Amino acid sequence: MMNPALRDAVYRANRRLAESGLVHGTFGNVSGVDRAAGVFLIKPSGVAYDALTPDGLVAVSLETGHAVGGDLRPSSDAPTHLEIYRGFDCGAVVHTHSRHATTLAQARLPLRCMGTTHADYFRGDVPVTRPMTPEEVEGAYEANTGLVIVETFRAGGLSPNEIPAVLVANHGPFTWGADAFEAVERAEVLEYLAEIEIGLRAIAPGAERPADVLVDRHYRRKHGPKAYYGQRQP
Amino acid sequence: MMNPALRDAVYRANRRLAESGLVHGTFGNVSGVDRAAGVFLIKPSGVAYDALTPDGLVAVSLETGHAVGGDLRPSSDAPTHLEIYRGFDCGAVVHTHSRHATTLAQARLPLRCMGTTHADYFRGDVPVTRPMTPEEVEGAYEANTGLVIVETFRAGGLSPNEIPAVLVANHGPFTWGADAFEAVERAEVLEYLAEIEIGLRAIAPGAERPADVLVDRHYRRKHGPKAYYGQRQP
Amino acid sequence: MMNPALRDAVYRANRRLAESGLVHGTFGNVSGVDRAAGVFLIKPSGVAYDALTPDGLVAVSLETGHAVGGDLRPSSDAPTHLEIYRGFDCGAVVHTHSRHATTLAQARLPLRCMGTTHADYFRGDVPVTRPMTPEEVEGAYEANTGLVIVETFRAGGLSPNEIPAVLVANHGPFTWGADAFEAVERAEVLEYLAEIEIGLRAIAPGAERPADVLVDRHYRRKHGPKAYYGQRQP
Amino acid sequence: MMNPALRDAVYRANRRLAESGLVHGTFGNVSGVDRAAGVFLIKPSGVAYDALTPDGLVAVSLETGHAVGGDLRPSSDAPTHLEIYRGFDCGAVVHTHSRHATTLAQARLPLRCMGTTHADYFRGDVPVTRPMTPEEVEGAYEANTGLVIVETFRAGGLSPNEIPAVLVANHGPFTWGADAFEAVERAEVLEYLAEIEIGLRAIAPGAERPADVLVDRHYRRKHGPKAYYGQRQP
């Protein structure tokens, strides 16, 4: 049986995504997983955010990738979410076509870690995937999108926990997190950072990177056993 | 007799256009056609959007191009809409001077198809018209604007159904669709894509295009007999 | 005796300017003139827009340049407005530091007429003034700013009626019009056009200008005896 | 005993900062000092702005740098604020990661004084700090950030009263002022100016600077014994 709090959390995260300005029309989607129950909940395909209800979220099996009950079809991106859940240890996935992150994805440029605002959330560059092959596009395209995302982290030796975001080449960003709220927050910060990166590339393409110690210091202020940001007890 | 639902649809689409931020002051206009009745309805010339009423919309004859009844003069762009209705099989036309699409029109650059966000709506580059000749400008300027739009598609071998938008050189964008709502949505997406394109040209002028198979895959997810996006029954 | 409608018109125009996003904090000001009464009304210096009242507007003599009655000091830019009223036949003046127009002023670049959106309002490039001399800055600076504006039009053979706007080098824009509403509308359109111009210069610095006939056609659609835009009787 | 008005002023300034759009999520902070009482009040670490209450502000000792009373931990940036209070004669400090100012900080470029809008608030370029050394980052990082800020002004012979802002390399902006309201206003103007500077660098990297007399004239219109802007009595 599915965690009863999940449906509400995923519903509210989809609404917050709509209010964030990161998605246009019916673009974008949020999902959240209950690994014990073996399902994830995702936005139905092509439904406007203001017509969305908690009951309209579609449950998809982690094992088969098929919808479980309900009348609505899941987001056409559901197989991408599925492969991210299979490949990474996370609780929620967000996909947007937010303007600045999509610009970088279309430029096939990573979102470089150029400052502490970035390092507070992502420990290093947010990578861009390789372009997909014609076979990958013409086959199980959405599942292959997820597989290319996972490959990008494995082949690059990157940690999906420390860098919980990716730019899919000529497509757009995906983020993930422990829960739907965190994954949406990261999608918002990613867009914020992408806007800064585009301005930076426009006026100072050769700008020097910050020292690794500065990136690590900021990342570890907020993450891991020595974090000292916020009100969490040490 | 005119379809009674058309007046309300065109009125609401004009209001939505005003709320979208795509038009400034009295710029821009939406029209919708009833081909059986032989007329299209269009915003009156120079009337502020918040002073617009459904009854204020002006009916224009598809045959003569003249206003049919009513006291108000149609938008000065009405002859452009007329030629689009004559040249293309569509139900509604939208014209804006939205910032980023107008920037591309002034640069005489097409809106290139550089990613899946574009391919979801437009199957290839949105073209820019050739500059109009002095004779075209000094003659029936607004009608000639429409004729140059139609020429751009015919001479380029482009499908106005698959690429339902154009940039008029040194002027601005026009979009069209099955109904006024769809045409406005396309004007919004066009502006969204134009903003991305301008950022892309600023930071990565030599960025590689996506593979044709990726464009086709995304376009066909949403359009045509094999569409699998949304809740439409297959 | 002053036209009783002027105070309300100038007050409402100042409020609209504040709501337009063109001014920040206490920046910017609107004035309107009553030439028969020999005074213009202007925003008081350094007063926040939401603390402004109609009675707070300061009357300034067209003859002496001094405030006439009232306890508040006029905007420190009042002498600039005065010289514009003396040099040009207009009913209202607006000054802002709006972002994109100010960017062009700091670049000492004119706002080129690159399309029909521009030609609908301004018949040619909006000029930028020459930099002021040290003597002009150290002397009656604000009055000299107005004199340099008037000089820019006279020396350049430009019509302040056909191009009712200027960029003061390293400072910002001024616009004028028949009344305060028209002058504010032109400040809004100027900012809109400046945003487009900055994008255009970023991605296509060598873009070709539109033909003169296109500029004239659009300008004369809205202005002069052969105007056919809007609902005015021909 | 602390000035009872300080808590409310710092609280309201933090709220205004949140409404200004300069901060994202829990980023950024405002503090205000009571030098007679030997403490400054600052936003607690990691608390969302809409969950902030006046009582939630944390008092920090100017002498020891430790929190004085209360259950919440101060902002992790509190040691930076402390060093600014020790080095500069000011009443409040603001830190943001606002988009455009952060872009300049990541480019390690100063915010140049290119016009009168800048000179109204800052008498010259807003400097960027040198990158911090690995020892400074790995040691008392936040205190060292404040020391590098103070060093930037001392080594550069700059007046923190006349240029009440700095860009910390690869980090973001800090501003200060007589009180929390003034420091927030300066953070807003700094972001406004940084947006203009980025556009200026994109389209006219070699633009000429304004004459020093123009900068001084505008600065002295608003500041010092000969100021004549606003309603203050001369």
Side-chain angles (χ1 to χ4, degrees), chain C residues 1-13:
Chain C
M1 177 171 161
M2 198 172 61
N3 172 356
L6 183 64
R7 190 172 290 275
D8 187 53
V10 174
Y11 168 71
R12 284 187 293 109

Side-chain angles (χ1 to χ4, degrees), chain B residues 152-164:
Chain B
T152 300
F153 281 75
R154 293 203 178 141
L158 304 174
S159 161
N161 289 324
E162 294 186 348
I163 304 175

Side-chain angles (χ1 to χ4, degrees), chain A residues 24 26-27 44-46 72-73 76-77 97-99 102-103 106-108 137-139 141-142 170-171 198, chain B residues 114-117 121 188-189 192 195-196 199-200 203-204 208-210 213-214 217-218 221 228-232:
Chain A
H24 178 90
T26 64
F27 281 168
S45 184
L72 295 169
R73 291 155 70 179
S76 54
D77 294 318
H97 288 214
S98 63
R99 285 169 173 78
T102 300
T103 304
Q106 292 193 176
R108 297 187 194 164
V137 172
E138 290 175 336
Y141 167 64
E142 289 85 1
N170 298 105
H171 190 152
I198 288 169
Chain B
M114 293 298 289
T116 63
T117 319
Y121 284 86
E188 292 175 353
V189 171
Y192 190 91
E195 183 175 355
I196 291 172
L200 185 60
I203 66 167
E208 280 187 60
R209 286 171 170 274
V213 290
L214 183 64
R217 177 85 197 206
H218 265 263
R221 287 208 322 180
Y228 59 97
Y229 180 91
Q231 302 297 331
R232 288 163 294 202

Side-chain angles (χ1 to χ4, degrees), chain C residues 67-87:
Chain C
V68 180
D71 296 330
L72 294 169
R73 291 155 69 177
S75 163
S76 54
D77 294 318
T80 311
H81 291 239
L82 176 63
E83 296 304 333
I84 294 173
Y85 287 125
R86 285 175 172 168

Side-chain angles (χ1 to χ4, degrees), chain A residues 16 100 112-118 120-121 185 188-189 191-193 195-204 207-215 217-218 220-222 227-234, chain D residues 21-27 43-47 58 71-74 76-77 97-100 102-104 106-109 132-134 136-142 169-172 197-199 201-202:
Chain A
R16 175 167 160 189
H100 298 94
R112 298 171 302 165
C113 178
M114 294 298 290
T116 63
T117 319
H118 186 115
D120 283 339
Y121 284 85
E185 183 188 14
E188 292 175 352
V189 171
E191 178 63 8
Y192 191 92
L193 295 168
E195 183 176 354
I196 291 173
E197 171 76 341
I198 288 169
L200 185 60
R201 285 184 178 273
I203 66 166
E208 280 187 60
R209 286 170 170 275
D212 287 347
V213 289
L214 183 64
V215 172
R217 176 84 196 206
H218 266 263
R220 282 195 258 110
R221 286 207 324 180
K222 286 199 164 180
Y228 58 97
Y229 180 91
Q231 302 297 331
R232 288 162 294 203
Q233 297 310 315
Chain D
L22 298 190
V23 293
H24 179 90
T26 64
F27 281 167
K43 182 170 170 290
S45 184
V47 169
V58 182
D71 296 330
L72 294 168
R73 291 156 68 179
S76 54
D77 294 318
H97 288 214
S98 63
R99 285 167 172 80
H100 299 95
T102 299
T103 304
L104 290 174
Q106 291 192 178
R108 297 187 194 165
L109 289 170
M132 292 168 74
T133 66
E136 287 170 332
V137 172
E138 290 175 335
Y141 168 64
E142 289 86 1
N170 299 105
H171 190 152
E197 171 76 341
I198 289 169
R201 285 185 178 274

Side-chain angles (χ1 to χ4, degrees), chain D residues 70-105:
Chain D
D71 296 330
L72 294 168
R73 291 156 68 179
S75 163
S76 54
D77 294 318
T80 311
H81 290 239
L82 177 64
E83 295 305 333
I84 294 173
Y85 286 125
R86 285 174 173 169
F88 298 160
D89 178 24
C90 64
V93 173
V94 170
H95 174 45
T96 81
H97 288 214
S98 63
R99 285 167 172 80
H100 299 95
T102 299
T103 304
L104 290 174

